[in-house]
Amino acid sequence: SIYEMSGNECCLSTGEVIKVIGFKINKLIASICEDNEVSQFSAKVELPLNFPGLYKIVADTTPYVSIEEITRKVYIGPTRFGHPCFYSPEDIKLANFTVKPGEHITFNSVEEVSGTMAVNCVVVRNNQSHSFTLPLSQEGKFYECEDDQIYTLKEIAEWKIPKCRNRIVRLSNTLHMWDFSNPLPENFDGCLILMPVYEVQAVMKFRKDIVHILSDLDVEVKDITDCYDISSFLQPLSLEDVFERTSMEFPMVAEIIEGPSGSHKPYNVLSTGKEIVVHKKYQAVRILASEIRSDSPKRHFLIPMSYKGKFKRRPREFPTAYDLEIARSEKEQLHVVATKAFASPHKELFSVSVGDQFLVQQRQTSEILYEGRKKVVDVLACEQILSDTYKKVLLPMYMEGGFVEVIHDKKQYHLSEICKEFRLPFNVKVSVRDLSIEEDVLAAVPALQFEEEITDSYLLISSASSPVECWEIPVHRLNMLVHLLSKDVQRLVPPVTKTTVEEISKEQYYMVRRYENQTLHPPPRPPKKPT
């Protein structure tokens, strides 16, 4: 019979054998939540997984009754999404360690220990990590801890909805407008109960593609796993699955079953049906950079250290004197111009006018008179630049003003030089584009801020038919499926390795930075007034 549901067509004949390889959430049914229950006035709405916005997870108040139940229902794995946290309201006494009530237990992996399946766990106590294992047979009440990270709806669906449970989320930030009619109330900023609708992922004999069958399809099946040779089926693998293979298994030849979208290299060589050689896996450094512009949306990039273009410095902006202290370095003196006036309430400290220029010296303490008493406060020592001399002044560290950097350095820098000589964040523009790249997307950006150095997982691949050059492909941001072929492959890596500047979406940017809130928290600011 041929079944067609929501655009998914599949033909299942009586007696046909299929191998189920996984379950995947196809869409989410959302209801507005009040007091952890569905609002009586809320209609159910269907949300696609690419529905925009960033969401915080509300901790599930229903406990798990054993470690075994947690491993069955909650994703535990090697990625940053696969380390859930739980706590027990009672002591958990182990051979050499006791977990106290309420302590956060991070579940890192599941493995066999001395013939018994167990979970590798970590508890952080007094800034020290304590590692131990909990057997799957361990019983008790285990509650989900609060999660202060933010996620896209797709990430929640893939990693953060336990099997056989719903998930409550709170809208944290709307990233951009939805192109279609918004199913949620206007200006909605509350909580939603998400109910997943699954699809079954399966492979059929003599077919290389993956069949997606909606879970509410009305068809009867029989489990014949124990009496059938399943080796005749393909075993599709994601890039995460390939990355989890041991280093000794590389290089390997794979055929692409489902290729990623995108027309730029290397994505145009990763089309369905192509054979590739996966040479090795490794961690590689990238510089996370964002376009500097006052309006939104900004563009975001991951720049490899092998980028061959050159950069010139651009002025940085500093909202407070405290930011000047953070940015100063021993390599060169920081020269700034005030863009906002500040009247000091204390005669011992300097009042700033727009246009005043300063050379930033160092942080120190100073004694001031506050409400008739002497008080020691943190200040920033600077030299004010006058027409023919310099004047030593003290700026209060809590001063909220505005400063723009004056750049005297006209040198052109490679990326590696900037990372070695300066502290991030750092503002630049491309002065010489990378000629080894067919289209250098950074060259068209007026100004960039290098925000931080990150380390991510990559695979080194080449075409099996013409292995003249290699490409680095990101493991966690490229959706594709392959199956491994039993072919011999030379261990020689092609001499040319191509790396690309990767432009990432707003959602990917937030997750790369692992933001806890909508903005990155700076170090705590000193108080506005002495107390």
Side-chain angles (χ1 to χ4, degrees):
S1 299
I2 296 177
Y3 298 87
E4 196 278 327
M5 298 188 68
S6 304
N8 291 274
E9 184 180 286
C10 58
C11 177
L12 297 176
S13 304
T14 301
E16 185 156 22
V17 180
I18 63 173
K19 177 185 176 183
V20 177
I21 61 172
F23 300 90
K24 184 179 179 182
I25 294 177
N26 176 268
K27 58 187 176 183
L28 295 164
I29 305 298
S31 305
I32 294 176
C33 173
E34 293 178 358
D35 299 325
N36 291 349
E37 294 182 357
V38 176
S39 169
Q40 58 179 327
F41 305 107
S42 171
K44 292 182 178 180
V45 296
E46 185 176 303
L47 296 181
L49 300 188
N50 62 342
F51 189 75
L54 294 169
Y55 304 82
K56 280 195 172 184
I57 291 172
V58 177
D60 194 343
T61 56
T62 303
Y64 294 83
V65 297
S66 68
I67 300 298
E68 188 269 339
E69 184 189 7
I70 293 175
T71 60
R72 275 193 297 107
K73 295 183 177 179
V74 179
Y75 174 79
I76 301 172
T79 71
R80 61 179 177 265
F81 300 109
H83 303 308
C85 288
F86 296 87
Y87 71 90
S88 169
E90 299 175 353
D91 283 340
I92 302 176
K93 295 182 179 180
L94 307 169
N96 301 315
F97 187 72
T98 298
V99 181
K100 298 177 182 177
E103 282 191 309
H104 288 200
I105 308 168
T106 302
F107 287 43
N108 286 330
S109 61
V110 182
E111 64 180 48
E112 187 175 328
V113 179
S114 302
T116 303
M117 294 304 294
V119 178
N120 290 314
C121 303
V122 171
V123 164
V124 177
R125 183 185 297 167
N126 299 326
N127 295 324
Q128 286 192 328
S129 295
H130 301 272
S131 299
F132 56 92
T133 60
L134 289 176
L136 267 57
S137 58
Q138 180 82 40
E139 295 184 344
K141 289 186 176 180
F142 300 93
Y143 291 88
E144 190 176 48
C145 297
E146 293 287 343
D147 186 346
D148 53 7
Q149 299 292 317
I150 54 177
Y151 304 92
T152 63
L153 210 57
K154 184 173 184 291
E155 286 164 342
I156 291 172
E158 289 179 351
W159 312 105
K160 295 297 180 180
I161 298 184
K163 293 182 179 68
C164 305
R165 294 196 182 198
N166 297 333
R167 170 60 80 191
I168 300 177
V169 299
R170 179 180 293 108
L171 183 62
S172 174
N173 185 12
T174 303
L175 292 179
H176 50 81
M177 295 299 292
W178 184 233
D179 294 335
F180 309 99
S181 59
N182 192 340
L184 300 178
E186 189 175 356
N187 300 321
F188 176 76
D189 62 353
C191 291
L192 296 171
I193 294 182
L194 304 178
M195 183 179 70
V197 177
Y198 289 89
E199 67 176 30
V200 177
Q201 296 172 305
V203 289
M204 295 180 172
K205 208 169 182 180
F206 310 120
R207 287 184 61 169
K208 290 184 177 181
D209 57 329
I210 295 174
V211 180
H212 302 269
I213 308 171
L214 293 182
S215 57
D216 51 3
L217 189 65
D218 185 15
V219 60
E220 291 185 1
V221 294
K222 182 180 179 181
D223 185 359
I224 58 171
T225 307
D226 295 335
C227 56
Y228 195 86
D229 179 16
I230 61 172
S231 62
S232 58
F233 288 92
L234 297 176
Q235 179 60 52
L237 301 173
S238 66
L239 294 186
E240 287 91 345
D241 296 328
V242 175
F243 193 83
E244 288 179 29
R245 297 284 176 125
T246 65
S247 297
M248 296 298 293
E249 296 179 71
F250 293 89
M252 58 183 69
V253 182
E255 181 181 353
I256 300 171
I257 300 177
E258 287 186 359
S261 58
S263 57
H264 295 290
K265 284 188 176 181
Y267 306 133
N268 59 357
V269 298
L270 298 179
S271 55
T272 300
K274 288 280 185 73
E275 291 185 10
I276 59 172
V277 179
V278 186
H279 294 276
K280 60 180 179 177
K281 65 173 185 176
Y282 52 87
Q283 300 285 310
V285 172
R286 293 292 187 270
I287 298 300
L288 180 62
S290 294
E291 182 181 18
I292 298 175
R293 58 187 297 174
S294 56
D295 56 338
S296 60
K298 297 179 180 179
R299 297 169 72 188
H300 306 282
F301 307 92
L302 288 173
I303 310 174
M305 297 303 291
S306 59
Y307 179 81
K308 296 179 176 62
K310 290 186 176 182
F311 301 93
K312 280 189 174 181
R313 296 173 62 175
R314 297 288 294 166
R316 291 171 288 178
E317 296 184 4
F318 306 100
T320 72
Y322 192 63
D323 293 294
L324 296 178
E325 157 62 17
I326 295 173
R328 72 179 184 87
S329 70
E330 301 299 326
K331 176 179 169 57
E332 63 176 358
Q333 202 159 33
L334 182 59
H335 178 189
V336 295
V337 177
T339 57
K340 184 179 177 181
F342 171 78
S344 173
H346 310 290
K347 65 179 182 178
E348 299 90 348
L349 305 180
F350 190 69
S351 292
V352 176
S353 301
V354 174
D356 284 349
Q357 297 192 44
F358 302 95
L359 296 176
V360 179
Q361 301 291 326
Q362 62 189 18
R363 180 177 185 163
Q364 62 186 57
T365 57
S366 179
E367 201 174 67
I368 63 169
L369 198 63
Y370 178 69
E371 295 182 350
R373 293 178 299 168
K374 288 185 178 180
K375 188 84 174 178
V376 175
V377 296
D378 288 329
V379 296
L380 188 65
C382 299
E383 287 186 340
Q384 183 188 10
I385 302 175
L386 302 175
S387 57
D388 56 356
T389 186
Y390 297 93
K391 176 184 176 183
K392 292 187 180 296
V393 298
L394 299 177
L395 302 181
M397 198 66 76
Y398 58 80
M399 168 189 169
E400 290 193 9
F403 302 91
V404 172
E405 182 179 21
V406 179
I407 301 292
H408 301 283
D409 182 3
K410 305 301 181 185
K411 181 182 174 182
Q412 298 183 107
Y413 292 90
H414 284 108
L415 183 58
S416 57
E417 294 175 312
I418 291 174
C419 295
K420 182 179 179 181
E421 298 181 25
F422 301 100
R423 182 182 298 175
L424 304 185
F426 197 75
N427 294 356
V428 298
K429 69 173 181 180
V430 174
S431 56
V432 179
R433 74 179 186 88
D434 186 345
L435 298 176
S436 69
I437 300 177
E438 197 170 297
E439 181 185 355
D440 187 350
V441 294
L442 299 182
V445 180
L448 285 165
Q449 181 174 80
F450 292 163
E451 296 184 8
E452 67 177 317
E453 189 177 293
I454 69 156
T455 302
D456 210 351
S457 303
Y458 290 86
L459 294 171
L460 189 67
I461 63 107
S462 66
S463 169
S465 58
S466 55
V468 294
E469 57 187 19
C470 282
W471 297 88
E472 285 184 344
I473 58 173
V475 171
H476 300 303
R477 289 181 300 280
L478 203 59
N479 292 320
M480 58 182 286
L481 291 171
V482 303
H483 78 94
L484 302 183
L485 303 177
S486 299
K487 289 187 176 182
D488 292 331
V489 58
Q490 290 186 346
R491 291 190 171 270
L492 292 176
V493 177
V496 180
T497 297
K498 296 281 190 177
T499 53
T500 59
V501 175
E502 185 184 354
E503 185 165 358
I504 58 176
S505 67
K506 186 75 171 180
E507 290 91 341
Q508 291 170 334
Y509 167 80
Y510 270 73
M511 293 317 301
V512 165
R513 295 214 72 176
R514 299 173 189 172
Y515 269 15
E516 295 182 0
N517 289 306
Q518 296 177 16
T519 56
L520 183 66
H521 291 306
R525 300 221 182 272
K528 289 189 176 182
K529 292 181 180 179
T531 54

